[in-house]
Amino acid sequence: MPVSGTKGVPFYACPMFVDGEGFDCRLLIDGMELALGTWYRVPVKFLNRDWVLPKLSVGKVVTLWEGRVVADGKVVDIT
């Protein structure tokens, strides 16, 4: 089932929680149609990269929040 509002949009904005702390981010979905229960590799841009970068490492578990948990994931690459 597609996630409402993702088809055709360049990014999806929501807080990403890392170690219990939230950071504003943009998932660069570039028009992908996302479906619940499916894994995706999605580039992410942060509003304040310098604040979150020290907390990230490959394999780190992250959570996306939209008034509630909407997705869990892990860091696979940092550039």
Side-chain angles (χ1 to χ4, degrees), residues 2-12 28-34:
V3 177
S4 177
T6 61
K7 187 175 182 182
V9 298
F11 65 87
Y12 180 78
L28 307 179
I29 59 175
D30 195 25
M32 288 190 299
E33 187 171 351
L34 304 179

Side-chain angles (χ1 to χ4, degrees), residues 5-76:
T6 61
K7 187 175 182 182
V9 298
F11 65 87
Y12 180 78
C14 68
M16 179 183 286
F17 277 78
V18 181
D19 294 334
E21 189 174 354
F23 300 92
D24 288 322
C25 76
R26 305 293 182 264
L27 282 73
L28 307 179
I29 59 175
D30 195 25
M32 288 190 299
E33 187 171 351
L34 304 179
L36 297 174
T38 304
W39 285 90
Y40 297 92
R41 187 172 181 154
V42 179
V44 176
K45 295 276 185 178
F46 290 95
L47 183 61
N48 292 297
R49 176 186 163 99
D50 293 340
W51 294 356
V52 69
L53 196 57
K55 299 177 179 299
L56 295 177
S57 59
V58 173
K60 174 71 81 172
V61 174
V62 298
T63 301
L64 299 179
W65 181 264
E66 191 70 46
R68 62 181 176 84
V69 173
V70 294
D72 294 308
K74 68 177 178 179
V75 177
V76 295

